[in-house]
Amino acid sequence: MVAPIVLKPRWIWTGTELLTGRCLELRDGVVGAIVAAEAHPGVPEAPGRLVLPGFVDAHSHAFQRAFRGHVQWRPADRDDFWSWRDRMYATANGLAPEGVQAVSALTFLEMAEAGVTTVGEFHYLHHAPDGTRYDDPDELALRVLAAAAQVGIRIVLLRVAYARAGAGLAPRDDQRRFYDRRPDDVLDALTRLGKDARVGLAAHSVRALDGDWLRELSAWRGVVHAHVSEQPAENEACLREHGEGPLRVLARAGLVSDRFTAVHLTHPLAGDVDLLAEAGGAIAVCPSTELDLGDGFLPVDARTRARLCVGSDSHAAIDPLGEVRTLELHGRALAGRRNVLAPPGERHGLAARLLRACTLEGDLALGGMGKGIAAGEPADLVVLDLDRPAADGVPPLEAAVFDGGPGWVDEVWVGGRCLVAGGRHLAREQVRRAAAPFLG
Amino acid sequence: MVAPIVLKPRWIWTGTELLTGRCLELRDGVVGAIVAAEAHPGVPEAPGRLVLPGFVDAHSHAFQRAFRGHVQWRPADRDDFWSWRDRMYATANGLAPEGVQAVSALTFLEMAEAGVTTVGEFHYLHHAPDGTRYDDPDELALRVLAAAAQVGIRIVLLRVAYARAGAGLAPRDDQRRFYDRRPDDVLDALTRLGKDARVGLAAHSVRALDGDWLRELSAWRGVVHAHVSEQPAENEACLREHGEGPLRVLARAGLVSDRFTAVHLTHPLAGDVDLLAEAGGAIAVCPSTELDLGDGFLPVDARTRARLCVGSDSHAAIDPLGEVRTLELHGRALAGRRNVLAPPGERHGLAARLLRACTLEGDLALGGMGKGIAAGEPADLVVLDLDRPAADGVPPLEAAVFDGGPGWVDEVWVGGRCLVAGGRHLAREQVRRAAAPFLG
């Protein structure tokens, strides 16, 4: 029998409990066992290291990384979500397949170095910029999958259905890469891609899909994600078209279930969060992007029963711990109180709840089992280095959530393979070089 | 003539312009000259390094670092600013002078590693926990100054005047370390301390000082800081006592001028921000603490004419770039638009304005000249390492502001002396060891 890989950190947070004095044994890509530290006397304890389940980035548009930092200047009277979107479309339409792959790989590299082991890629670039189908209709999806494989992180390809520019609007030339002709085109693509990859349906939004499309797409039995109520204008247009708001329209079409994730839900209508909670669905909050775009804040508090996960969306920043911290902190500012997501009575309950949002809850939202670190589960791990002044005297989970960030990531393991060591991905320089021509 | 120290980064942002192809020469603690890179052919360019004026943390209560992470759990129905304050008082009253010094040094160490070269310490621990004066009445102020000297960062001691628990309230036992008997006690302390240190007056708040105190304190000719409108309850009590809000009460007492900084101003009353702007004063925004405490957001936008600087306040986090980023991003969410602090027409104007908030504007708020990197000015510098995936393809100022953090700090120089190299302070381990017994 081959000897296992042994990790002996100071702390292990499994997703449900915080352990000390233990080792993790990794065998054949999975967690073999969690054993007493004494079982491996020859392995020194890694000082101040905290092992967590790998982070899950539940909502990504990887190519949008290409123009990071180039849209942070046009004054507010001339810039909002919609003008940003025009600029984003220009980037989307400027990338050939090799550019899509190279930029996606850079994004996934940055994710890996930030502790992400699984990404949900909400993928809507399907065709050539003029709308022509590629010889392989899945060309760009395969490029994105290849990018994840290059970097070694897991990916769930959320294949987007996009059919129109909005209710009653003519097709837009700059959306031709996204449009499908029939719902079956989307379902067929999911079937093809699903043979070799984990996939899910992304019903883009009620802007991009009418009622007929939504109903036909509800035939899909896997995970479903959709942008919901990101902008007030989206709610208003939906109310005009359907007489009810986006989440209710999706629910009426049969898309809202415990396999469903509402992305954003920044401007929920009355009853939306409870509707989602009752269905067993989740909200993928993307605080850094929602702030960047001036979307607003999801009003979370202790009454928020829907499951919560996070995504880095436009990649204005990639920092899963920052996302969950921001989620809680905005809730505080809106409520005028502290610890708004804290469960009653648990000393470390708030930090644990927030960590679950960027680990187990994200995994569940992407069709995983959400079991965290447990015997027999994939060895997808992030190792944080808490041996630093900022963490001195701070309980480990609170240090990670309230002060941690990408700079704290020491190692990242996916399927028992070490991708990141000393905070650097092993293929860092080659991935950076390949992406450089496509940025800016 | 002794050869200068030469820095040859990829970029130098002086505080007003972004330079490439230049070297900084440091002599006798000051910037000697900014010369062409070719002037020092033997010095290799530091890859991807961006040199900025050192960050200024304009509002700090260093001892509050002691309980970081231990108050992030009590559910919102039992925790807000006021209950947090009770917990903070318990920490304040548990620290002997050596504890105050050791914890302050750890805070300043973390600041230095985050790029801070000058701190404004709003210092209100003066006496023994039972109110007894120490043999040296400045004992604790001197401890804080000694902590900064240990770490090597500059400090402006903002000596607090605190006289009461609030309008019409009996003195609180847990505030006895703060109370002074007469305004002259404060002014005398400022005179004593000012002989060997940079000092300023901290008129704690309109809660802690009545109209007579405020008027007598206005005799002080140096910089003045005060907590202003952090909480709605503070505004309400002030309106009851004075018939007008905190900033107007301070102005009527003669304290608001171009030497004045309003700390927080999270809940300004109508006209407050303009009043401050017309006086030439500044706002010290502390976003990470204001969010942590559920205070709310300062509503900034393009019409905000008052000068803006930042502080880490309670030290829930220490991250000057994070503070200025958060300031802008909250403004976006409140406005529903992007780039709310962007000056018109300047491509990198928003990033520059935000960087000025954590550099030059902070320096001005603490009585400095606010000149940034210029010949003859103190060589207080932070060197960021932008040679990383997150900054690839991103303009340097935007990378720093919108993605940077403590993990990006490579070197920190104060007065021409290198304190931090490779992201680590040279006295890191001894400062950590000394603080450890006083944390938690």
Side-chain angles (χ1 to χ4, degrees), chain A residues 65 68 70-74 76 79 292 294 297 316 332 336-339 347 387 389-390 392-393 403 432, chain B residues 65 68 70-74 76 79 292 294 297 316 332 336-339 347 387 389-390 392-393 403 432:
Chain A
R65 168 66 181 81
R68 175 186 289 176
H70 291 269
V71 287
Q72 302 288 13
W73 65 280
R74 212 182 286 275
D79 205 9
D292 183 75
F297 313 120
R332 294 188 192 189
R337 305 194 66 85
R338 303 186 72 244
N339 312 329
R347 183 95 196 195
D387 181 17
D392 283 349
D403 291 279
R432 294 176 72 188
Chain B
R65 169 65 181 81
R68 175 187 287 176
H70 291 269
V71 287
Q72 301 288 13
W73 64 281
R74 212 181 287 276
D79 205 10
D292 182 75
F297 313 119
R332 294 188 192 190
R337 304 194 67 84
R338 303 187 71 244
N339 313 329
R347 182 95 195 196
D387 181 17
D392 282 349
D403 291 278
R432 294 175 71 189

Side-chain angles (χ1 to χ4, degrees), chain A residues 65 68-77 79-80 84 106 109-110 113 291-294 296-297 316-317 329-330 332-333 336-340 342-344 346-347 350 387-390 392-395 398 402-403 428 432 439, chain B residues 65 68-77 79-80 84 106 109-110 113 291-294 296-297 316-317 329-330 332-333 336-340 342-344 346-347 350 387-390 392-395 398 402-403 428 432 439:
Chain A
R65 168 66 181 81
R68 175 186 289 176
H70 291 269
V71 287
Q72 302 288 13
W73 65 280
R74 212 182 286 275
D77 58 353
D79 205 9
D80 62 7
W84 171 89
L106 181 69
L109 174 81
E110 189 181 341
E113 292 191 352
L291 289 172
D292 183 75
L293 299 181
F297 313 120
L329 294 180
H330 288 169
R332 294 188 192 189
R337 305 194 66 85
R338 303 186 72 244
N339 312 329
V340 292
E346 286 177 57
R347 183 95 196 195
L350 175 58
D387 181 17
R388 59 181 63 238
D392 283 349
V394 185
E398 283 77 3
F402 291 100
D403 291 279
R428 188 191 240 207
R432 294 176 72 188
L439 302 177
Chain B
R65 169 65 181 81
R68 175 187 287 176
H70 291 269
V71 287
Q72 301 288 13
W73 64 281
R74 212 181 287 276
D77 58 353
D79 205 10
D80 63 7
W84 172 88
L106 181 69
L109 174 82
E110 190 181 341
E113 292 192 351
L291 289 171
D292 182 75
L293 299 181
F297 313 119
L329 293 180
H330 288 171
R332 294 188 192 190
R337 304 194 67 84
R338 303 187 71 244
N339 313 329
V340 293
E346 286 177 57
R347 182 95 195 196
L350 175 58
D387 181 17
R388 59 181 64 239
D392 282 349
V394 185
E398 283 77 2
F402 292 99
D403 291 278
R428 189 190 240 206
R432 294 175 71 189
L439 303 175

Side-chain angles (χ1 to χ4, degrees), chain B residues 7-12 19-24 37 44-51 383:
Chain B
L7 304 187
K8 190 187 280 186
R10 176 134 180 228
W11 302 280
I12 299 168
L19 307 174
T20 56
R22 308 291 176 89
C23 288
L24 274 181
E45 181 179 292
R49 297 308 193 271
L50 166 64
V51 176
V383 183

Side-chain angles (χ1 to χ4, degrees), chain B residues 47-194:
Chain B
R49 297 308 193 271
L50 166 64
V51 176
L52 306 168
F55 298 144
V56 177
D57 191 321
H59 188 70
S60 160
H61 306 291
F63 79 88
Q64 294 182 9
R65 169 65 181 81
F67 68 109
R68 175 187 287 176
H70 291 269
V71 287
Q72 301 288 13
W73 64 281
R74 212 181 287 276
D77 58 353
R78 289 181 295 132
D79 205 10
D80 63 7
F81 171 87
W82 306 100
S83 54
W84 172 88
R85 197 183 68 159
D86 289 341
R87 177 69 180 78
M88 180 271 284
Y89 284 176
T91 294
N93 288 316
L95 287 172
E98 54 272 27
V100 169
Q101 179 169 343
V103 173
S104 297
L106 181 69
T107 305
F108 299 150
L109 174 82
E110 190 181 341
M111 283 184 190
E113 292 192 351
V116 173
T117 55
T118 301
V119 56
E121 176 67 17
F122 199 101
H123 174 73
Y124 60 89
L125 293 185
H126 305 314
H127 319 302
D130 65 357
T132 308
R133 272 50 184 162
Y134 288 108
D135 292 342
D136 183 333
D138 302 321
E139 170 75 25
L140 294 181
L142 295 170
R143 292 285 191 166
V144 172
L145 293 171
Q150 267 180 274
V151 171
I153 70 172
R154 297 185 198 273
I155 184 168
V156 178
L157 192 97
L158 301 162
R159 206 282 186 188
V160 169
Y162 205 111
R164 61 177 194 174
L169 299 178
R172 282 176 62 136
D173 284 351
D174 54 7
Q175 294 179 338
R176 287 186 295 200
R177 296 198 96 168
F178 324 157
Y179 291 144
D180 287 303
R181 298 194 188 96
R182 301 177 302 273
D184 276 350
D185 291 348
V186 179
L187 297 171
D188 291 348
L190 281 164
T191 302
R192 288 191 306 270
L193 291 164

